[in-house]
Amino acid sequence: MTTDSIQPLSIAAPVNPRKAFRGALLDFVDDPFYVSEAESVRYIPDGLLVLKDGRIEALGHYEDLKDVYADVAIVAYPGMVLTPGLIDTHIHFPQTEMIAAYGEQLLEWLSKYTFPTERKFQSKDYAQQVAAIFLDELLRNGTTTALVFATVFPESVDAFFEEAERRNLRMIAGKVMMDRNAPDFLKDTAQSAYQASKQLIETWHGRGRLLYAVTPRFAPTSTDEQLRLAGRLLEEYPDVYLHTHLSENVNEVAWVKELFPQCQGYLDAYDRAGLVKNRSVFAHGVQLTDEEFQRLSAAEAAIAFCPTSNLFLGSGLFRLEKAKSTEFPVKLGLGTDVGAGTSFSILQTANEAYKVAQLRHQRLSPFQALFLATLGGARALNLEDKIGNFEPGKEADFIVLNPRATPLLAFRNSEALPTSLVELADRIFSLVIMGDDRAVQATYIMGELAYEKQ
Ligand code: GUN
Ligand code: ZN
């Protein structure tokens, strides 16, 4: 007997590198503020989402695709809705611990609660602990991308990006720039803010999925010189973002008029420094004039609509119809603005957006709300080529929503998932109004399970 004929018992079959998810698929291919729901909503009641290497490879009806992908392992979510990861276009990670701080409006709230809290973030260890809690909370709420304020301390930016990198998240963040009208312990200078921001851009911008935003806190806490140097950074690094606050509160707007007497208005203080651009994201805009909306539209800049914050701080009611006008459309996303915002949930943020619209006798439809939370947010952040819907090639950040997540939702939504858009709108509306972290069954990042509800 020779040993020549000895063969391995089995030869491993090549493993299919794909994975697939079966459930109701819901995303947007266009903007339901401007085209019909039939043209903007993509809904596949029994769909299959196929991924390869963390990206979307295909989507379609399960019956049509099941034979094509017969050798791919399928994770099934019967009765659940798979939708792109939610996008928060304005939030402060260091304010996680001071959510629900009682009794003040913007300027007093900043001095009394915010500045003392942000002081703690000069400790990198502390910043790291809070960044971890913050990112876990985002994932629990189905938020997969956010535009994030850190603090004036560069260490807090490093801590945030390190934690985001560990989780492979697509995140945008930046160091706060603040060289006046703030306590000494939080102040930088025009020059030191420029240098530190430059260093952070060099380290973090475009590293993996991370991106940098030049982040002057708001016009009252930056000198002309600091704003000018922020503008210089945007010139030197044309694909970084500009992230700041704008026209949130009546007293704030009056203060900006005093501080910048040569300017036409609040937005003009940023505009003269070269900060109103295609990659600029302005939080709030509650007090904007019609002319300022037009300028934002022309510049292709974006607004983060932060309804829970605007109501909590008594700032006012955002003019949604101005931002979404056909004549002067402005890119718009939803922002939680935690810690002035009262929830990490973009579903709850959409709930309050609906009520803000109601108070102004306007309507925000369920699909419009979900659009702002997904593809609209991606467009506001100039990330629509990477995230925001299920187009093949995009990064597979998605969530699984359970329309029966609570006893009351289960009673409200006792029937099977609908096949028509009209019935679906009602089901989605119930999730927008009643849903929060409890409705998020699972969150996937680049196709990997990052959070699952127990
Ligand atoms: N304006 C300047 N700073 C802040 C902040 O931290 N939160 C809010 N909501 N508005 C601001
Ligand atoms: Zn804010």
Side-chain angles (χ1 to χ4, degrees), residues 158-416:
D158 287 327
F160 176 78
F161 277 135
E162 283 168 21
E163 287 299 315
E165 186 173 53
R166 193 165 292 146
R167 291 165 177 76
N168 197 24
L169 301 176
R170 187 162 281 291
M171 287 282 155
I172 314 171
K175 180 200 119 63
V176 172
M177 306 168 79
M178 182 152 61
D179 67 344
R180 65 166 165 174
N181 294 319
D184 285 344
F185 57 78
L186 283 185
K187 265 195 279 193
D188 52 19
T189 66
Q191 197 59 38
S192 73
Y194 169 82
Q195 284 301 345
S197 302
K198 196 177 177 75
Q199 181 66 50
L200 289 163
I201 292 168
E202 294 282 346
T203 307
W204 293 109
H205 184 65
R207 173 158 151 181
R209 305 185 77 201
L210 306 174
L211 297 162
Y212 194 84
V214 174
T215 310
R217 175 169 222 117
F218 66 156
T221 48
S222 287
T223 57
D224 272 322
E225 176 64 0
Q226 186 166 67
L227 294 181
R228 196 182 64 74
L229 287 177
R232 186 192 290 178
L233 287 169
L234 300 188
E235 271 174 19
E236 291 172 351
Y237 302 94
D239 59 350
V240 303
Y241 293 84
L242 184 282
H243 184 199
T244 190
H245 298 93
L246 171 67
S247 298
E248 176 177 3
N249 164 290
V250 171
N251 294 341
E252 172 208 15
V253 174
W255 194 22
V256 170
K257 285 212 173 95
E258 283 171 28
L259 291 169
F260 297 87
Q262 73 286 11
C263 290
Q264 300 278 322
Y266 196 153
L267 184 64
D268 194 39
Y270 295 136
D271 217 354
R272 288 181 188 217
L275 302 182
V276 184
K277 296 186 161 184
N278 188 338
R279 285 169 181 273
S280 304
V281 183
F282 297 98
H284 307 299
V286 171
Q287 315 294 340
L288 288 171
T289 65
D290 290 358
E291 292 70 30
E292 288 174 320
F293 272 109
Q294 289 178 26
R295 174 65 192 128
L296 290 169
S297 174
E300 297 177 62
I303 297 176
F305 173 21
C306 308
T308 78
S309 167
N310 297 160
L311 295 171
F312 180 73
L313 290 180
S315 302
L317 304 176
F318 182 68
R319 297 196 291 160
L320 182 62
E321 77 286 1
K322 277 284 165 197
K324 298 303 292 187
S325 82
T326 39
E327 219 185 343
F328 302 109
V330 180
K331 290 188 284 187
L332 188 71
L334 293 174
T336 60
D337 194 29
V338 164
T342 53
S343 170
F344 271 79
S345 169
I346 287 289
L347 293 174
Q348 274 310 293
T349 305
N351 170 18
E352 299 302 300
Y354 175 81
K355 295 174 189 166
V356 166
Q358 278 281 42
L359 283 166
R360 302 195 59 259
H361 302 277
Q362 303 284 326
R363 255 194 209 159
L364 176 66
S365 79
F367 289 130
Q368 288 170 342
L370 192 61
F371 169 81
L372 291 179
T374 56
L375 186 60
R379 288 182 174 179
L381 300 181
N382 276 28
L383 287 174
E384 72 204 88
D385 59 330
K386 297 186 173 64
I387 54 172
N389 67 10
F390 290 145
E391 278 306 290
K394 285 199 185 179
E395 299 165 354
D397 291 351
F398 65 94
I399 61 173
V400 181
L401 288 174
N402 181 1
R404 303 188 203 180
T406 68
L408 185 57
L409 273 168
F411 181 53
R412 161 80 164 68
N413 295 332
S414 55
E415 285 170 24

